[in-house]
């Protein structure tokens, strides 16, 4: 079967998949209000992919043309022995970029080791610069710890560092300019993300708190000159970027509601339970764990399952904040 396995992953709409977001845990030391319920039920250990299985998926993906892997969670850096996996992924032949999305809580301790292991780019969640608001939004987070982690990452010298901020009306929309200034002071990027309706929450009404990318951009344009850098290309993520005045920093907007990016989608996600998700906003998926744990497993079987799954990748998602969420899995389960 090896010879019959395609060297690239192409969906039925002609989109090339060369970017995988690989969740290594559904657990987190925070409980951000847009990501998780306060009282979460996590996957049993027996249903979670072990580090060897995660490596097998990453190896199969890179063998078939994936050039970028982003490790996600939950919070990936709290997974036991995670550095051993990161070191192995950093050495994968054909992988151009190993990236990480984190809440920043462990970066002060691990930033140098991550760079040595081959991590090139880091995305760090930061929704508020007010200790009180930050605590309310994350439920358990320590702002000083996260800022220290951000500064440690900046000092370490990764190829790219980006802050991710979810803006909620009535909560932190008055901090947009402060967050932009924080990024500019450090010459790093920042992206503002429209909240996605994943998982059933009771903490706030998503239809009321949604703050669109256009509203945020208008705030920023009143103070800074923004120069559009066009649609994302290559293995870039979904953010549409603008140069931010006269500094190296860029500001990006991820707009799954107001200006979706489906026609450019080059990504798939793997949950920590081994579900290959073909779309963030749909339930189309394939169970890779079943393949990995089958009797007489071979790497070719995994590759064939991944290739066949491309036929399930839908053209687009349809997010709607009215009524009950259609996608009941939370972001910590989805893997960012």
């Amino acid at each position: 079967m090896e010879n019959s396995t395609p060297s690239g992953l192409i969906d039925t709409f002609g989109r090339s998949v060369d970017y995988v977001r690989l969740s290594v845990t559904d657990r987190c030391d925070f409980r951000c209000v847009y990501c998780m319920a306060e009282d979460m039920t996590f996957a049993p250990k027996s249903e979670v992919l072990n580090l060897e299985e995660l490596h097998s998926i990453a190896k199969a993906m890179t063998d078939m043309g994936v050039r970028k892997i982003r490790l996600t969670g939950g919070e990936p850096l709290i997974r036991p022995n995670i550095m051993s996996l990161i070191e192995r992924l950093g050495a994968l032949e054909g992988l151009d970029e190993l990236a990480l999305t984190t809440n920043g809580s462990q970066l002060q301790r691990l930033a140098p080791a991550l760079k040595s292991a081959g991590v090139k780019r880091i995305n760090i969640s930061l929704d508020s610069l007010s200790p009180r608001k930050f605590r309310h939004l994350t439920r358990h987070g320590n702002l000083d710890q996260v800022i220290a982690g951000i500064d440690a990452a900046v000092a370490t010298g990764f190829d790219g560092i980006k802050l991710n901020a979810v803006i909620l009306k009535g909560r932190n929309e008055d901090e947009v300019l402060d967050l932009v200034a924080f990024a500019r002071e450090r010459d790093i990027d920042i992206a503002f993300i429209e909240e996605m309706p994943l998982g059933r929450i009771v903490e706030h009404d998503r239809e009321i708190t949604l703050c669109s990318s256009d509203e945020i951009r208008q705030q920023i344009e009143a103070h800074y000159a923004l120069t559009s850098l066009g649609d994302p290309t290559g293995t870039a993520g979904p953010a549409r970027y603008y140069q931010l005045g006269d500094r190296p920093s860029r500001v990006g907007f991820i707009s799954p509601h107001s200006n979706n990016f489906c026609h450019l989608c080059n990504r798939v996600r793997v949950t920590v339970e081994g579900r290959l998700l073909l779309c963030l906003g749909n339930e189309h998926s394939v169970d890779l764990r079943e393949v990995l744990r089958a009797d007489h497993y071979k790497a070719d079987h995994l590759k064939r399952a991944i290739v066949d799954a491309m036929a399930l990748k839908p053209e687009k998602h349809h997010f709607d904040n009215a009524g009950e969420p259609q996608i009941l899995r939370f972001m910590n389960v989805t893997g960012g």
Side-chain angles (χ1 to χ4, degrees), residues 174-195:
D174 59 335
E175 292 197 69
V176 168
L177 293 176
D178 290 339
L179 289 164
V180 169
F182 181 91
R184 276 170 53 88
E185 288 167 3
R186 291 159 175 79
D187 289 335
I188 59 179
D189 296 337
I190 184 166
F192 293 98
I193 305 171
E194 293 177 347
E195 184 186 9

Side-chain angles (χ1 to χ4, degrees), residues 146-293:
V146 170
I147 290 177
I150 293 169
D151 289 337
V154 171
T156 299
F158 292 94
D159 289 356
I161 298 173
K162 175 167 70 73
L163 304 179
N164 285 334
V166 176
I167 301 299
L168 305 178
K169 285 184 178 177
R171 305 295 285 273
N172 61 342
E173 80 271 27
D174 59 335
E175 292 197 69
V176 168
L177 293 176
D178 290 339
L179 289 164
V180 169
F182 181 91
R184 276 170 53 88
E185 288 167 3
R186 291 159 175 79
D187 289 335
I188 59 179
D189 296 337
I190 184 166
F192 293 98
I193 305 171
E194 293 177 347
E195 184 186 9
M196 302 178 195
L198 302 182
R200 182 178 288 112
I201 61 172
V202 297
E203 198 272 346
H204 61 277
D205 184 330
R206 286 170 167 151
E207 195 169 10
I208 294 173
T209 59
L210 177 66
C211 192
S212 75
S213 294
D214 286 344
E215 292 174 280
I216 297 170
R217 190 174 66 249
Q218 288 167 11
Q219 275 200 58
I220 298 171
E221 282 180 327
H223 293 81
Y224 299 103
L226 297 183
T227 304
S228 174
L229 299 176
D231 284 337
T233 59
T235 56
R240 291 182 171 93
Y241 281 103
Y242 293 75
Q243 197 65 47
L244 193 54
D246 56 353
R247 299 294 289 269
S249 295
R250 303 175 302 164
V251 60
F253 300 94
I254 299 177
S255 317
H257 288 276
S258 62
N259 190 4
N260 78 46
F261 33 78
C262 300
H263 65 294
L264 299 171
C265 187
N266 62 337
R267 297 170 299 287
V268 293
R269 290 167 170 79
V270 179
T271 75
V272 73
E273 297 170 277
R275 286 176 62 200
L276 174 60
L277 292 173
L278 285 306
C279 174
L280 176 62
N282 288 281
E283 293 290 11
H284 303 70
S285 66
V286 170
D287 188 350
L288 299 184
R289 185 183 66 201
E290 182 179 40
V291 178
L292 285 162
R293 297 183 181 178

